[in-house]
Amino acid sequence: EHLRIAPDNSNDASNTSDITWPATTEVVEPTGADTQVVSRLGQHQLISVANERIALQPGQPLQLTAQASALHVFDRVSGERLN
């Protein structure tokens, strides 16, 4: 199984959301007005996009949040959505 989060429903922990988890920043890539952030949660690498410039450095802790309704679990083999 693997988890996908709808891109418009993830953000930093400054907003109230249903689920929050700690991650560690690995790469910060400004791309015009947006910022792409590669972070690590345990053994899993996460890629997210902030619709603004954010001041993060590699190695810096990061709290990510997402609305529970935006979380989708898929079967790793078939790709079928499980929820």
Side-chain angles (χ1 to χ4, degrees), residues 2 6 12 14 16 22 33 37 41 45 56 61 74:
H2 66 272
D12 66 32
S14 63
T16 302
V37 178
L41 174 60
Q45 189 176 64
L56 287 172
F74 293 83

Side-chain angles (χ1 to χ4, degrees), residues 21-77:
W21 61 92
T24 302
T25 305
E26 292 189 333
V27 177
V28 180
E29 184 67 39
T31 57
D34 298 336
T35 304
Q36 184 174 10
V37 178
V38 178
S39 56
R40 181 150 306 274
L41 174 60
Q43 297 179 6
H44 304 281
Q45 189 176 64
L46 307 171
I47 300 172
S48 55
V49 176
N51 295 325
E52 60 187 303
R53 292 286 188 139
I54 54 176
L56 287 172
Q57 298 295 320
Q60 183 176 348
L62 175 65
Q63 293 290 320
L64 299 172
T65 62
Q67 298 171 348
S69 62
L71 303 178
H72 306 291
V73 180
F74 293 83
D75 181 274
R76 190 177 298 260
V77 176

